[in-house]
Amino acid sequence: KQEVTQIPAALSVPEGENLVLNCSFTDSAIYNLQWFRQDPGKGLTSLLLIQSSQREQTSGRLNASLDKSSGRSTLYIAASQPGDSATYLCAVPLIKAAGNKLTFGGGTRVLVKP
Amino acid sequence: EAGVAQSPRYKIIEKRQSVAFWCNPISGHATLYWYQQILGQGPKLLIQFQNNGVVDDSQLPKDRFSAERLKGVDSTLKIQPAKLEDSAVYLCASSFSADLTDTQYFGPGTRLTVL
C-alpha cells in the first residue's frame, strides 16, 4: 500500500526567502508525482506533474525534483511572496489499480509573512 | 473553459440527518471522482466513475454513502444517516479519461459540518 508523507505540516517564512517542501512515498514504483496548491475554501490546483522518467520539472518560480529510488520529491519555490501562502499537497497514482487513483500526502501549510 | 462546479458550498446538519452533494464536471470529461478531505489531511478517494459506471468504490462506506452518475455527466453523493466523523470537505474532480497522464481538475468543494 502506497503511503505519502509530507513534513513539516506547517511552515512560516519571511517574504523573499526560498521555500523547500518535502514529499516522501513508500512505493517507488510510481508512474508520476503531482504537486497541488490548495487555498482556503477552494479546490486543488495542479502546479507541476513529474513523470517517473524525469528528474525535475520547472514552471516559473517553481521547481520540483523527483528521486524515485529514495522515494522523495521536493518542491522549491524561489523568492517567496505573500501570495504563495497556501497548503501544498503532493500525490501519486496507484499504478497497480484501475483508473487514475491518487494517494495524497497530508499537505504542508505555508505562510509567507510580508 | 468552465471548471468543475459543486453545490452547495456549505452545509450544516445534525447527526442522523441525510445530505446530498451535487457535482457538474468539465464538459467532455468522462472520469469523475469524489474525494473526502478531513481537516488537516489530504483528500481520500471515495469513488471513481468512468462515464456512468463505477470504476472503484472500495473506500466508500456503503452502509451510509451512495453516489450516482446516471447520464454520465452530473453526479450526486449522498450520506444517510450522517455521523459526526463525516464532517469534512467533499471534493469533486474530473478528468478527460482515467489514463494516468490525464490531469484531474478539482471543484471548490462542499464543506459539511455534522453537529
Side-chain angles (χ1 to χ4, degrees):
Chain A
K1 178 186 174 185
Q2 178 74 275
E3 293 185 2
V4 182
T5 305
Q6 293 184 249
I7 296 173
L11 187 60
S12 179
V13 298
E15 182 177 2
E17 193 167 296
N18 295 333
L19 282 164
V20 180
L21 307 179
N22 299 305
C23 172
S24 61
F25 44 94
T26 54
D27 187 343
S28 62
I30 62 171
Y31 188 80
N32 58 46
L33 184 144
Q34 198 163 0
W35 282 94
F36 290 86
R37 170 182 172 141
Q38 186 174 31
D39 292 282
K42 297 187 179 180
L44 280 67
T45 302
S46 179
L47 296 175
L48 290 169
L49 186 150
I50 313 178
Q51 300 294 345
S52 61
S53 58
Q54 296 178 302
R55 297 282 295 180
E56 64 178 67
Q57 186 72 261
T58 298
S59 176
R61 294 185 295 113
L62 276 60
N63 175 275
S65 66
L66 176 63
D67 185 343
K68 277 180 51 180
S69 60
S70 65
R72 293 179 186 172
S73 177
T74 303
L75 178 65
Y76 301 90
I77 303 178
S80 63
Q81 304 168 359
D84 295 328
S85 298
T87 297
Y88 293 83
L89 299 126
C90 64
V92 294
L94 292 172
I95 62 174
K96 297 176 183 176
N100 189 4
K101 290 179 58 177
L102 292 178
T103 299
F104 283 86
T108 296
R109 190 171 67 253
V110 171
L111 175 63
V112 180
K113 296 175 289 186
Chain B
E1 175 182 87
V4 177
Q6 290 188 248
S7 67
R9 293 295 312 277
Y10 306 91
K11 190 72 177 179
I12 300 175
I13 62 172
E14 300 205 344
K15 60 183 180 183
R16 292 188 288 271
Q17 287 187 321
S18 62
V19 65
F21 313 128
W22 174 81
C23 172
N24 180 238
I26 292 174
S27 177
H29 280 193
T31 311
L32 185 145
Y33 311 81
W34 283 102
Y35 290 87
Q36 179 193 57
Q37 186 176 24
I38 294 172
L39 186 64
Q41 299 181 17
K44 182 186 79 172
L45 181 70
L46 292 175
I47 188 168
Q48 177 185 352
F49 291 95
Q50 182 69 19
N51 296 307
N52 61 351
V54 175
V55 175
D56 189 321
D57 62 357
S58 58
Q59 299 195 87
L60 187 74
K62 299 180 187 63
D63 58 333
R64 297 183 300 106
F65 286 65
S66 64
E68 61 184 10
R69 193 183 183 201
L70 291 175
K71 296 183 179 179
V73 181
D74 294 4
S75 177
T76 56
L77 176 69
K78 298 179 181 178
I79 308 175
Q80 181 179 15
K83 293 185 176 182
L84 296 177
E85 59 261 36
D86 297 332
S87 294
V89 175
Y90 291 84
L91 295 164
C92 179
S94 71
S95 60
F96 181 74
S97 77
D99 191 275
L100 293 177
T101 60
D102 282 341
T103 298
Q104 293 183 31
Y105 296 88
F106 285 78
T110 295
R111 181 177 296 276
L112 173 67
T113 301
V114 182
L115 303 176

